[in-house]
Amino acid sequence: MTSRLTLIAANWKMNGDDALVASMQSMLLTNNVLEKNVEVLICPPLTLLSKFSSSLEISLGAQNCSEHDSGAFTGEISTSMLRDIGCQYVLAGHSERRELYGESNELVADKFLQIVRQGMKPILCIGETLQDRQNGQTEQVLKQQLDAVLSITEEQDWQKAVIAYEPVWAIGTGETATPEVAQSAHSYVRTYLAEHTKTHGVAATCRILYGGSMKPENAQDLLAMPDIDGGLIGGASLVSESFLAIINAANAS
Ligand code: PGA
């Protein structure tokens, strides 16, 4: 059996302040959760990134990046800049970026490649809308989102990649996919990736996170599923105690 290190990732979105960094740090330190078998990642707003103590054994990430190397792109941040400030991970194609900022599958794929080129780990976010699901198009949408990236990458570009399956209807709504519904999508994604990356076996090692109203009450059941290798957590990561409870659930499952 392939072992995939569970990844519990916080996506703070445009939330958080010094006080949240402080409470998160002290919660992580005092509860010894970082010594267990779970990788903890925090993707705060970039202005808070440097506030995390470098002695804290967590990973840090960004929520977005530019698809360009450098140049006249006012307001954008390049992947090399993100690497320089200590990011190991960068989210690509979060559904809020896709929906609110019009990021296409192709743009997301370009960002994925930029992240890989800087030696960082992309977290490719994919997921269907409620309408897609009601129309029976979940797998087709996931396939299209994956195809855009597969078509411009080599197999080895996936070696450090993480995928986050985040059904749009579950993000920030309080409605969570059942473990069975999530597992079925995760299994589809892993199988599809396996079919398209046969040489390096990246599908067996690629961590596929679930995102969409993951919280202390449902984390353990979701994380018990064979193809769910962690979580990407929004709302519940803004409360230290809830995030801790999810890390503990990951350690227990
Ligand atoms: P949520 O957000 O946990 O608040 O649903 C998840 C995400 O957007 O990554």
Side-chain angles (χ1 to χ4, degrees), residues 11 13 94 96 166 170-173 211-214 232-236:
N11 173 13
K13 310 189 183 186
H94 188 279
E96 285 150 20
E166 299 204 296
I171 296 179
T173 59
S213 300
M214 187 182 265
L232 181 55
I233 299 126

Side-chain angles (χ1 to χ4, degrees), residues 9-13 91 94-96 125 164 166-176 210-215 231-238 246:
N11 173 13
W12 284 6
K13 310 189 183 186
L91 304 185
H94 188 279
S95 72
E96 285 150 20
C125 303
E166 299 204 296
V168 179
W169 47 270
I171 296 179
T173 59
E175 194 177 331
T176 317
Y210 169 80
S213 300
M214 187 182 265
K215 42 193 175 222
L232 181 55
I233 299 126
S237 75
L238 295 172
I246 294 174

Side-chain angles (χ1 to χ4, degrees), residues 1-186:
M1 199 181 131
T2 314
S3 72
R4 296 183 289 265
L5 180 63
T6 303
L7 176 60
I8 298 297
N11 173 13
W12 284 6
K13 310 189 183 186
M14 202 172 70
N15 298 296
D17 51 18
D18 287 359
L20 182 60
V21 174
S23 87
M24 196 61 79
Q25 295 205 112
S26 79
M27 176 278 292
L28 290 171
L29 281 171
T30 48
N31 290 282
N32 279 341
V33 282
L34 301 177
E35 287 167 24
K36 310 263 175 59
N37 252 352
V38 171
E39 180 181 357
V40 175
L41 163 67
I42 300 188
C43 301
L46 288 181
T47 50
L48 294 176
L49 207 92
S50 64
K51 309 269 170 103
F52 284 90
S53 156
S54 54
S55 62
L56 195 68
E57 290 190 1
I58 58 167
S59 302
L60 291 170
Q63 301 168 15
N64 183 32
C65 65
S66 169
E67 71 278 26
H68 301 289
D69 288 336
S70 63
F73 301 104
T74 301
E76 293 288 279
I77 306 226
S78 73
T79 47
S80 64
M81 294 167 183
L82 294 173
R83 195 201 49 209
D84 288 351
I85 56 164
C87 290
Q88 291 111 43
Y89 288 84
V90 187
L91 304 185
H94 188 279
S95 72
E96 285 150 20
R97 301 291 321 167
R98 293 176 187 265
E99 273 187 33
L100 304 173
Y101 299 95
E103 293 196 6
S104 64
N105 286 343
E106 291 67 33
L107 177 63
V108 171
D110 287 343
K111 292 187 175 193
F112 180 101
L113 203 50
Q114 272 303 95
I115 299 161
V116 171
R117 284 192 182 133
Q118 287 300 332
M120 291 187 290
K121 301 172 188 173
I123 301 183
L124 174 65
C125 303
I126 57 176
E128 81 287 0
T129 63
L130 184 59
Q131 200 180 7
D132 296 330
R133 178 159 284 274
Q134 285 169 344
N135 293 342
Q137 289 177 328
T138 298
E139 293 187 352
Q140 194 187 324
V141 169
L142 298 176
K143 175 182 174 317
Q144 283 164 355
Q145 292 172 336
L146 289 169
D147 277 346
V149 183
L150 285 165
S151 70
I152 63 159
T153 48
E154 309 283 336
E155 281 190 33
Q156 52 267 37
D157 294 331
W158 287 82
Q159 253 150 6
K160 292 180 176 174
V162 175
I163 296 174
Y165 167 64
E166 299 204 296
V168 179
W169 47 270
I171 296 179
T173 59
E175 194 177 331
T176 317
T178 63
E180 293 71 27
V181 164
Q183 166 58 26
S184 151
H186 282 232

